[in-house]
Amino acid sequence: MLFMDVSTWDPSNRDKILEHFKRLEIPDGIDVINQWIDLSGNRYYILYEAESAEAYGAFNLPWSDICVIDSVPVMEASEFMQLLPKYQKK
């Protein structure tokens, strides 16, 4: 499943966040598609595919002590539009 995460942290945790990034190892079952940093310095965006709930947890839980992760399952709009007729009331 495809996820878009937005991670935020208190500016006072900046050094801890940088240390986490230096040690970051992407777990098996996670395919990172792209990442972006908010230029204001306290927000991070990442788009990735998670093969399982276990991979998802292994990727996000190590960050839970220093930041808040808003994680949203997403899909391309064209894919969604193909699904839409199946769920529309007739």
Side-chain angles (χ1 to χ4, degrees):
M1 181 170 261
L2 194 60
F3 289 92
M4 171 64 82
D5 289 1
V6 179
S7 301
T8 56
W9 56 87
D10 188 282
S12 65
N13 284 334
R14 183 193 61 145
D15 291 343
K16 291 178 186 177
I17 293 290
L18 292 173
E19 285 303 313
H20 266 264
F21 270 110
K22 288 177 185 175
R23 294 189 314 264
L24 177 64
E25 292 184 24
I26 306 296
D28 289 338
I30 297 292
D31 179 27
V32 175
I33 297 166
N34 212 334
Q35 308 168 68
W36 302 269
I37 300 290
D38 178 350
L39 296 177
S40 69
N42 66 335
R43 200 169 15 219
Y44 170 74
Y45 302 86
I46 184 168
L47 180 65
Y48 63 95
E49 184 89 31
E51 289 181 5
S52 66
E54 291 81 10
Y56 174 84
F59 192 49
N60 282 309
L61 289 175
W63 294 90
S64 63
D65 62 333
I66 59 170
C67 66
V68 174
I69 301 172
D70 292 317
S71 189
V72 180
V74 296
M75 67 174 29
E76 290 187 24
S78 60
E79 213 178 324
F80 178 78
M81 295 307 288
Q82 290 176 359
L83 290 175
L84 197 56
K86 294 181 185 179
Y87 300 102
Q88 288 180 320
K89 292 183 181 181
K90 295 180 180 184

